Amino acid sequence: MAFLSGNISNLRLPSSAAAQEAADVEIGTPEGDIISTLGIAGSIFVNISILTVGVIGLVSVFQALPGLWQNALESYLVPAIFGAIFAQFGRDFPKVAAIALALAFVSNLLYEFGYFALLPGDPIYVVIIVAVFGTMFISKWMWERGMIRTTDSS
């Protein structure tokens, strides 16, 4: 549950520890494991509830914004988030970042020149698939050959 819901170190583990402490059970026992699981489940439920209320509330706030602000958020928010995530991981793995950037650039050029036009719908999804899975496969290949390491900073 913790891995699927994310934010393990900042949210799920403290919830697990607090639940075990509140129930006064010993860590590592079957009872402790059950209480830990319930603590994580409770944190997921609370998290989803708060997010649902927040999303519903923010939709009305978003709709009340002027058109210029709505357009700016729609056009630039997601790319800004992806850019920040790319920069964070690119700092730690610059070789992988270069591969990801090259794959995205080349597949985007192919998309722009119409090479994916035979695919159904707007084939922009091919750019994402190539960038994501191509980076995964090439990174795995580089890892297996010792070209990158977890402490790689060059």
Side-chain angles (χ1 to χ4, degrees), residues 140-154:
K140 184 178 184 300
W141 179 82
M142 291 172 71
W143 175 271
E144 290 170 349
R145 281 151 188 76
M147 299 167 76
I148 56 173
R149 301 175 307 278
T150 55
T151 58
D152 192 7
S153 61
S154 59

Side-chain angles (χ1 to χ4, degrees), residues 8 10 20 24 33 35 37 47 50 60-61 66 68 71 77 98 100-101 108 110 113 121 128 138 140 143:
I8 295 171
N10 294 329
Q20 288 178 341
D24 197 29
D33 292 345
I35 295 298
T37 303
N47 185 255
I50 291 172
S60 60
V61 170
L68 178 67
N71 187 34
L77 185 62
L101 197 58
N108 196 42
L110 293 173
F113 290 132
I128 297 168
I138 292 173
K140 184 178 184 300
W143 175 271

Side-chain angles (χ1 to χ4, degrees), residues 72-96:
L73 288 172
E74 288 174 352
S75 300
Y76 301 113
L77 185 62
V78 172
I81 291 170
F82 281 130
I85 293 170
F86 179 78
Q88 178 184 0
F89 287 104
R91 181 194 67 220
D92 295 335
F93 298 99
K95 294 174 187 173
V96 175

Side-chain angles (χ1 to χ4, degrees), residues 28-137:
T29 63
E31 294 84 11
D33 292 345
I34 292 170
I35 295 298
S36 173
T37 303
L38 291 173
I40 292 171
S43 75
I44 292 169
F45 178 76
V46 169
N47 185 255
I48 290 173
S49 301
I50 291 172
L51 281 174
T52 301
V53 169
V55 166
I56 291 169
L58 284 177
V59 166
S60 60
V61 170
F62 180 77
Q63 291 172 346
L65 290 173
L68 178 67
W69 284 82
Q70 287 181 7
N71 187 34
L73 288 172
E74 288 174 352
S75 300
Y76 301 113
L77 185 62
V78 172
I81 291 170
F82 281 130
I85 293 170
F86 179 78
Q88 178 184 0
F89 287 104
R91 181 194 67 220
D92 295 335
F93 298 99
K95 294 174 187 173
V96 175
I99 297 293
L101 197 58
L103 284 172
F105 182 74
V106 169
S107 60
N108 196 42
L109 278 178
L110 293 173
Y111 167 75
E112 291 293 329
F113 290 132
Y115 285 97
F116 304 136
L118 295 173
L119 297 171
D122 183 7
I124 190 68
Y125 57 85
V126 175
V127 175
I128 297 168
I129 292 170
V130 168
V132 171
F133 289 102
T135 303
M136 287 169 47
F137 290 126

